[in-house]
Amino acid sequence: MTDRAPPPAPDRPGPRHGASAPLKIYFDGGCRPNPGVMEVAVVVGGEVHLLRDLGQGSSADAEWLALIHAMRIAVARGTSDYVLLGDAKGVVAQAIGTAKCRGVAIAHRERLMALVPPGQGLRVRYIKRTQNLAGIALARLHDR
């Protein structure tokens, strides 16, 4: 018998194949019409975080705002083992530096990178629309 306390519970489901999987944070932004009033959704750990009526902008602006909000949530959770998952190929490519930012995307990327804690890299990946839980949450807002 030992006097040691059990380890703290993880902030996400346990290990897979001997290593813990990164925390998946889904993001999506949209506007109606395009351009129009922007809204974003972020889904993490089964929780949906919605921001609505974010002013006028394009669908690309809304995707950037969703990505920035997802990064804020990752930082607030204090996790360094995360991946941000979105379905906007252009925004993902610009965020990770494989495509050049132009116009307002430059300022959006600067805002995003300012949130990344020192010593951490930015982990953003493209996923299909049908896999994006945040996109599904946004679509449900408008299903009638």
Side-chain angles (χ1 to χ4, degrees):
M1 182 137 171
T2 173
D3 290 326
R4 287 188 231 162
D11 65 346
R12 62 185 178 280
R16 227 176 36 194
H17 304 293
S20 66
L23 179 65
K24 293 179 180 180
I25 304 174
Y26 300 86
F27 68 91
D28 194 38
C31 58
R32 289 175 186 257
N34 186 16
V37 178
M38 297 180 292
E39 58 191 8
V40 304
V42 174
V43 176
V44 59
E47 293 178 18
V48 178
H49 303 262
L50 293 171
L51 297 177
R52 301 187 77 182
D53 299 322
L54 296 175
Q56 295 286 316
S58 70
S59 59
D61 292 323
E63 293 286 356
W64 274 107
L65 294 180
L67 175 54
I68 289 165
H69 189 55
M71 187 69 224
R72 284 189 181 122
I73 290 172
V75 169
R77 284 183 162 244
T79 183
S80 61
D81 190 16
Y82 67 89
V83 61
L84 307 176
L85 303 166
D87 59 32
K89 281 185 183 179
V91 170
V92 170
Q94 289 173 335
I96 62 175
T98 58
K100 185 172 181 160
C101 292
R102 291 184 169 78
V104 295
I106 296 168
H108 288 313
R109 187 168 192 277
E110 287 173 356
R111 284 178 58 202
L112 173 68
M113 296 310 293
L115 295 170
V116 178
Q120 281 189 26
L122 179 65
R123 291 180 278 304
V124 183
R125 285 196 202 130
Y126 167 77
I127 57 171
K128 294 177 184 177
R129 173 79 175 159
T130 56
Q131 298 172 313
N132 190 346
L133 300 181
I136 294 166
L138 271 185
R140 285 185 179 157
L141 289 177
H142 302 286
D143 285 346
R144 292 196 167 69

